[in-house]
Amino acid sequence: MLELIGVSKNFTDSSVITQALQPINLQVQDGDFISFIGPSGSGKTTLLNVLGLLETPCSGDYIFAGKRVLALSDKEKSRLRNRDIGYVFQGFHLLPDFNIYDNIEMPLRYSREHAVMRRKRVVTLLEQVGLSDFAKYKPSQLSGGQQQKAAIARALVTEPSVILADEPTGNLDLHSTAEVMALLSTLNQQGTTILMATHNLELAQRSKRVIEVRDGVIKERSLTHYARRWGIAMNRLPTQ
Ligand SMILES: Nc1ncnc2c1ncn2[C@@H]1O[C@H](COP(=O)(O)OP(=O)(O)OP(=O)(O)O)[C@@H](O)[C@H]1O
Ligand SMILES: [Mg+2]
């Protein structure tokens, strides 16, 4: 359903050119759960941003749900971003002056959804992420884990087919990390495609596919490979 064909990305700052992604080929199926792991600066965020239509590739072709992304107008791209993709960032990116309810509802304001339906959807999501009692709170009144759950609810409000999560647990303690990962796993079991960047191999083990990113080059290996290499018990691996 998503396909990168020889997609590369470089950034030019004054006279310095950084090749953030070497030409990449990648196929993502509906319902996939992929972890991109790799050291800082390896290109994980750039890759997620390209996949999320936030960055334009410098070469190659990108097919999103049967459409050639490079041939789309800005308007068509923003419609895909708004309807089909949910973004979860490390720093949450909630709007500080709005309460949790309004933050979650925000992406629907740009859709033509009826007010009653919007309300129903936000209330359901608040329940799903366990924040029903915090609807009226401002983001700063919530813990990091709660803010991240609110950010996930906001990413889900348009019922996107793909969730992009960049270090979704990077700022969280162990307990909140477990809760957020459980939430992502449940969403994936319900059919949402999840693409996650992480430094943490143990979290990556929760996904169906692990792809290493190093100097802008990707390499996919089986989960069994990591289980052997890191001595992680097979019974802790997700069933595939
Ligand atoms: N907007 C930009 N302008 C110039 N260079 C950039 C830009 N964004 C990323 N880069 C460079 O591209 C390379 C890949 O960066 P990227 O942010 O994708 O890495 P990352 O794997 O997400 O790292 P981290 O784990 O620290 O988040 C780095 O060398 C970085 O400096
Ligand atoms: Mg990054």
Side-chain angles (χ1 to χ4, degrees):
M1 107 190 240
L2 306 185
E3 187 170 14
L4 298 178
I5 306 157
V7 161
S8 72
K9 178 75 191 172
N10 45 41
F11 295 101
T12 312
D13 274 336
S14 52
S15 60
V16 184
I17 299 174
T18 309
Q19 181 87 33
L21 295 179
Q22 304 290 339
I24 281 183
N25 297 314
L26 174 66
Q27 283 187 344
V28 180
Q29 310 301 333
D30 281 328
D32 257 346
F33 186 167
I34 301 184
S35 290
F36 296 102
I37 59 167
S40 190
S42 57
K44 303 180 297 296
T45 296
T46 308
L47 181 53
L48 283 187
N49 286 346
V50 166
L51 288 164
L53 313 182
L54 298 171
E55 299 270 17
T56 310
C58 297
S59 71
D61 219 343
Y62 179 19
I63 316 291
F64 186 103
K67 299 189 183 82
R68 285 190 65 217
V69 171
L70 289 176
L72 298 176
S73 66
D74 286 348
K75 203 173 157 190
E76 287 168 312
K77 270 191 275 188
S78 62
R79 195 181 305 143
L80 283 180
R81 278 194 291 260
N82 199 24
R83 270 204 216 146
D84 290 335
I85 308 174
Y87 304 91
V88 179
F89 303 97
Q90 178 171 2
F92 318 136
H93 292 205
L94 295 167
L95 298 170
D97 297 331
F98 291 83
N99 68 28
I100 295 303
Y101 182 99
D102 292 336
N103 264 285
I104 294 173
E105 190 199 25
M106 203 61 74
L108 289 182
R109 298 221 171 151
Y110 305 107
S111 76
R112 300 214 177 88
E113 190 104 49
H114 193 274
V116 177
M117 290 308 291
R118 289 212 302 251
R119 182 162 180 79
K120 212 172 146 193
R121 181 94 189 112
V122 177
V123 168
T124 306
L125 279 169
L126 279 166
E127 248 168 57
Q128 192 180 349
V129 300
L131 290 178
S132 300
D133 294 341
F134 298 89
K136 296 247 160 61
Y137 285 51
K138 296 273 172 63
S140 62
Q141 296 172 301
L142 267 56
S143 72
Q146 289 169 324
Q147 289 185 54
Q148 191 58 300
K149 287 185 212 160
I152 292 174
R154 180 187 52 186
L156 289 175
V157 77
T158 56
E159 300 187 300
S161 49
V162 184
I163 297 266
L164 298 175
D166 197 354
E167 304 279 356
T169 60
N171 284 329
L172 306 180
D173 63 19
L174 276 178
H175 179 70
S176 303
T177 294
E179 285 187 336
V180 166
M181 285 309 295
L183 187 55
L184 291 176
S185 294
T186 306
L187 290 169
N188 179 246
Q189 279 154 20
Q190 291 166 351
T192 308
T193 304
I194 300 193
L195 306 177
M196 173 177 85
T198 179
H199 290 111
N200 185 329
L201 191 80
E202 196 167 338
L203 294 185
Q205 299 275 346
R206 307 283 193 89
S207 52
K208 292 177 179 163
R209 295 169 64 188
V210 179
I211 294 180
E212 278 182 39
V213 187
R214 209 167 278 270
D215 298 329
V217 177
I218 63 167
K219 182 169 194 175
E220 182 161 7
R221 288 198 238 242
S222 69
L223 286 172
T224 332
H225 165 86
Y226 294 104
R228 277 206 212 100
R229 199 165 101 191
W230 295 82
I232 294 168
M234 287 302 291
N235 60 13
R236 289 182 58 195
L237 295 178
T239 47
Q240 285 191 80

